Amino acid sequence: VVRPCVEYGDDRVCNAAKRCHWDTTAAPGSCQQLPCGRFENATMCALDVECTWSESESACVARTCHTIPTMCECQADARCFWSRAGGWSRCEEQVFGKCPTLDLVLLD
């Protein structure tokens, strides 16, 4: 039986629950359900484009660029870009793609 998030009284226990997070946007803080936490299976999770099913967590989680597995899906999402930096192909957040490479100069 899954407990409703609001029943968790502290941040440690709340954040340990798969579908919950400790919300501090209003005082006092409280345990709230994650946006994708309302879906209990992969079929229902797939109905929301902002969510994706995590096999490793057996839970519906927020879709981020890092969770997008293919180049086509990645490029279709305006928040993301397909990166081949460092010899690894992966989907990254656009915000990181706008950062120039870093040059370090060491002075004695």
Side-chain angles (χ1 to χ4, degrees), residues 94-108:
Q94 278 285 1
V95 67
F96 298 119
K98 295 177 182 174
C99 297
T101 56
L102 179 64
D103 291 328
L104 294 176
V105 176
L106 300 175
L107 304 172
D108 279 336

